[in-house]
Amino acid sequence: MAKTPKQHGTIIMIHGFRGTHHGLDLIAKQFQNYNVIVPDLPGFGEGESLGSYDIDSYIAWLHQFIAGLKLNQKPILLGHSFGSIICAGYAADFPETITKLILINPIGAPALEGPKRLLTNLAILYYWIGEKLPGKLSHHWLSATPIVMIMSITMAKTHDKKLRSYIHNQHRQYFSRFHNPESVSQSFKTSVSHNVREYAANITTPTLLIAGDIDDITPLEKQHELVNMFKNARLHVITGVGHLTHYETPDQVADAIKLFI
């Protein structure tokens, strides 16, 4: 879990599926005047282990985690990708515990519907097989470098060779630090079975959505629909980037957050 010295308040950042706190490093380091806390999600990295990795369990974990910090002031809550679903669910259930909500590359449309539903179902099958395979074979299947690289190459939009190399190295280094086949398979199913739309209408906390205009996970038109579902939200769009704004445009993400908070 990464921390920076506290001065202006606390920002709690929740990373995306299969990542660890390292994925948000480029954003977190730009808030040196805040107490930035980035835990590993349960089931990944140094995160806790849960009995079940469904959405309710993740929200309950986040509530316990924030309460356990015993902060003097209410924090700002930020979530990227899968973390956006967890944070949105938390904000809907516990609005009195946070001051602002920031969702980066929010999952704003059902993954099991629309043009990418076939790929999503193939991915579900991939994780299901991984969960059923015995012992080390299971981990090798789920952490296979070719699969990780296909994902990384598909999502990276930058033409900067040095930056693309950095992104691929990050994914190779941290994308397979899941606890076991059950945790990664169950959390994947959770990530594609839920989305921020489920919670938007019940969120009263001032909210900032940050989206890339060529995001393959949630198209920009769906983000415009999503922001209108909130009672008090605005959408900031970053051009020329997809789902990896935390790697490709961390400066622009941080600038948008600073204006908001």
Side-chain angles (χ1 to χ4, degrees):
M1 179 170 66
K3 292 185 179 183
T4 58
K6 177 181 178 181
Q7 293 183 37
H8 292 337
T10 297
I11 306 174
I12 297 171
M13 300 184 177
I14 305 299
H15 65 78
F17 174 69
R18 278 191 72 154
T20 66
H21 68 273
H22 297 89
L24 295 175
D25 278 351
L26 296 181
I27 296 174
K29 73 178 185 179
Q30 300 197 49
F31 292 88
Q32 295 296 320
N33 293 328
Y34 288 81
N35 176 29
V36 180
I37 302 175
V38 193
D40 287 339
L41 277 175
F44 301 91
E46 298 178 3
E48 298 179 21
S49 295
L50 301 177
S52 174
Y53 295 91
D54 56 27
I55 192 62
D56 290 337
S57 297
Y58 273 115
I59 293 172
W61 161 80
L62 183 55
H63 184 227
Q64 183 179 34
F65 176 79
I66 293 176
L69 294 174
K70 300 186 184 302
L71 299 171
N72 294 326
Q73 297 177 324
K74 297 177 184 178
I76 296 163
L77 182 61
L78 177 154
H80 172 256
S81 191
F82 178 41
S84 74
I85 304 175
I86 298 170
C87 291
Y90 178 90
D93 288 349
F94 305 102
E96 72 283 355
T97 64
I98 57 176
T99 59
K100 286 183 171 63
L101 177 66
I102 300 161
L103 305 178
I104 303 174
N105 295 109
I107 307 300
L112 296 173
E113 300 176 11
K116 295 192 180 296
R117 63 183 180 275
L118 176 59
L119 290 176
T120 300
N121 281 305
L122 286 174
I124 291 174
L125 177 62
Y126 166 76
Y127 282 104
W128 180 83
I129 292 172
E131 189 174 0
K132 299 302 179 182
L133 289 172
K136 292 183 179 180
L137 183 59
S138 175
H139 190 276
H140 288 322
W141 172 268
L142 290 170
S143 61
T145 298
I147 298 297
V148 172
M149 288 307 299
I150 288 171
M151 177 282 305
S152 190
I153 291 169
T154 299
M155 289 203 296
K157 303 302 182 185
T158 180
H159 298 295
D160 185 318
K161 291 183 179 180
K162 185 176 180 180
L163 180 55
R164 288 184 72 87
S165 177
Y166 170 79
I167 292 169
H168 298 335
N169 286 335
Q170 287 287 299
H171 285 142
R172 278 192 292 262
Q173 188 171 359
Y174 300 115
F175 209 61
S176 296
R177 295 194 178 185
F178 49 86
H179 290 187
N180 51 58
E182 292 76 22
S183 66
V184 70
S185 180
Q186 290 177 25
S187 59
F188 175 75
K189 188 172 183 179
T190 297
S191 74
V192 298
S193 300
H194 299 275
N195 62 84
V196 175
R197 289 182 177 226
E198 297 173 39
Y199 308 104
N202 295 319
I203 294 175
T204 57
T205 305
T207 302
L208 172 66
L209 280 62
I210 301 175
D213 69 337
I214 51 174
D215 192 335
D216 294 324
I217 307 299
T218 300
L220 185 57
E221 63 187 60
K222 295 298 182 181
Q223 302 288 18
H224 282 291
E225 292 177 8
L226 175 64
V227 71
N228 290 325
M229 297 177 181
F230 286 81
K231 291 181 173 65
N232 181 9
R234 67 184 74 169
L235 172 64
H236 179 82
V237 178
I238 301 176
T239 59
V241 67
H243 201 66
L244 305 182
T245 57
H246 59 310
Y247 285 142
E248 296 188 32
T249 57
D251 293 352
Q252 293 184 57
V253 170
D255 288 344
I257 294 171
K258 289 173 184 177
L259 286 174
F260 178 64
I261 64 177

